[in-house]
Amino acid sequence: MRAIIRIGDGGPRVLQVSEVPAPIPTATQLLVDVHATALNRADLIQRRGGYPPPAGDSEILGLEIAGTVAAVGNAVKGISEGDRVFGLVGGGGYAVQAVIDYRMAMPIPDSWSFEEAAAVPEVFFTANENIFTLGKLAAGETILIHAGGSGVGTAGTQISHHAGANVFVTAGTPEKIYKCKTLGAIEGINYKTTDFVTEIEHLTGGEGVDVVLDFIGAPYLERNLSILKTKGRLLQVGLIGGVTAEIDLGTLMRKRLKIIGSVMRPQSIDEKIAITQHFVDRWLPELKRGVLKPIIDSVFPLAEVRQAHMYMEANRNFGKIILKIV
């Protein structure tokens, strides 16, 4: 089958289309003819030689798939060949075929394209699991979402607003800030021109926020803690800016803050099944009704995967970048 493989570690040029053996599903897996997948920041890190897949998962990049079931394992229940499914995978999305545990495969709504379905799993799972399961965001509380124009940012803004929270975001352009407001953000802060700490203090009358969802890491840590209210929660889901920082533990103790770290890929299959079900129960019905929506920035053919990676690295996208496989 055709797939994107790495021929080294580094820039986008290490990615190339090649012929590789097709995966063989286990008893509890589906073999899926992949029609669309999506880019994630994790793909960029893996391309450079970091963030390896869990043991037993494909070395091929790609953490989400949407396609048609080609074959089913003998322990699969409730899913048949020909069904349209989408879901989260540990790897293997950048390929014509991939495998997924049937308990993590969700039926694609009839009105959705494969591209729309591929734009959902990683970002909505990550946003829901962190903001609600771990962060316990409640109606009437206030959240700051960094990287509001990212896939997780656009998903997190929508579900936080829908749950009755007050949403602030950071983004790098006025255009992205405007688009974030259309998704439910009260206000956006251009992190390139404005100090978000000063602006949050102004916007909240000095009260701060209840929750911060952060992808940057070390450079933002102390600043994030400074804008949290008493009993506030910092949700750390990325480390783009670095991994090592010093903090004032007095602030942590005095304000009774929580710092919660989370990464999805290394979690066990049982944990991922639970995360899938959390999403299915709470948000999939709202997506089906059109109350929420996957935000797609652009669609690239599989052969243009290098250009797609460069586009993401330039931070040009608002929402998801999709790879169309077939």
Side-chain angles (χ1 to χ4, degrees):
M1 68 171 186
R2 285 184 303 118
I4 299 298
I5 65 168
R6 291 186 304 138
I7 56 173
D9 298 330
R13 290 187 179 278
V14 306
L15 301 176
Q16 69 176 28
V17 180
S18 185
E19 291 290 328
V20 301
I24 300 173
T26 65
T28 61
Q29 288 181 329
L30 311 172
L31 178 65
V32 177
D33 290 331
V34 181
H35 292 270
T37 185
L39 269 66
N40 292 283
R41 287 282 169 182
D43 300 346
L44 308 186
I45 299 171
Q46 185 178 345
R47 189 200 73 214
R48 300 182 192 119
Y51 205 48
D57 281 319
S58 175
E59 295 281 347
I60 296 170
L61 276 63
L63 300 178
E64 48 207 331
I65 59 170
T68 305
V69 177
V72 300
N74 57 25
V76 171
K77 300 176 182 179
I79 301 177
S80 304
E81 292 182 18
D83 288 353
R84 297 193 333 143
V85 298
F86 71 116
L88 188 74
V89 293
Y94 290 19
V96 168
Q97 289 188 314
V99 291
I100 183 173
D101 189 286
Y102 81 96
R103 294 162 293 183
M104 293 182 62
M106 300 168 287
I108 297 176
D110 292 339
S111 62
W112 286 14
S113 67
F114 289 114
E115 290 79 10
E116 288 173 306
V120 170
E122 176 71 16
V123 296
F124 276 92
F125 285 17
T126 299
N128 180 57
E129 198 63 18
N130 284 277
I131 293 171
F132 293 103
T133 305
L134 300 176
K136 309 294 184 185
L137 182 70
E141 289 193 316
T142 302
I143 181 171
L144 171 64
I145 298 177
H146 288 297
S150 67
V152 176
T154 59
T157 296
Q158 290 184 78
I159 62 177
S160 298
H161 171 69
H162 190 69
N166 301 305
V167 184
F168 298 112
V169 300
T170 62
T173 69
E175 293 77 15
K176 288 185 178 182
I177 288 172
Y178 170 79
K179 290 178 180 179
C180 287
K181 289 182 178 181
T182 69
L183 299 179
I186 295 174
E187 191 55 81
I189 303 165
N190 188 331
Y191 66 86
K192 293 182 179 179
T193 61
T194 306
D195 175 54
F196 73 81
V197 173
T198 301
E199 191 63 15
I200 286 295
E201 290 176 350
H202 169 70
L203 292 169
T204 63
E207 291 188 0
V209 298
D210 297 284
V211 175
V212 174
L213 182 68
D214 181 59
F215 307 84
I216 307 304
Y220 277 15
L221 179 56
E222 188 74 37
R223 299 163 71 194
N224 284 332
L225 296 180
S226 73
I227 60 171
L228 284 172
K229 297 179 181 179
T230 298
K231 296 185 179 180
R233 291 85 74 194
L234 169 60
L235 308 171
Q236 197 67 54
V237 295
L239 299 168
I240 295 172
V243 300
T244 303
E246 292 186 2
I247 63 170
D248 180 353
L249 291 175
T251 300
L252 193 74
M253 297 169 66
R254 184 176 61 257
K255 294 168 69 174
R256 289 170 284 164
L257 304 178
K258 291 182 180 179
I259 302 175
I260 305 171
S262 176
V263 61
M264 194 175 303
R265 195 177 196 183
Q267 295 191 41
S268 69
I269 186 65
D270 288 339
E271 289 171 318
K272 291 178 181 177
I273 291 169
I275 289 170
T276 302
Q277 197 60 50
H278 294 162
F279 162 79
V280 168
D281 291 343
R282 184 161 190 179
W283 299 118
L284 186 54
E286 303 302 296
L287 281 156
K288 285 182 176 179
R289 293 197 300 121
V291 176
L292 307 173
K293 58 184 178 181
I295 306 301
I296 296 176
D297 176 276
S298 50
V299 179
F300 288 79
L302 183 64
E304 295 181 10
V305 64
R306 293 178 178 179
Q307 292 92 322
H309 272 235
M310 289 188 287
Y311 186 80
M312 174 173 272
E313 287 181 324
N315 291 320
R316 294 173 61 188
N317 60 298
F318 182 86
K320 294 290 284 185
I321 301 169
I322 304 298
L323 284 181
K324 187 177 179 66
I325 307 299
V326 294

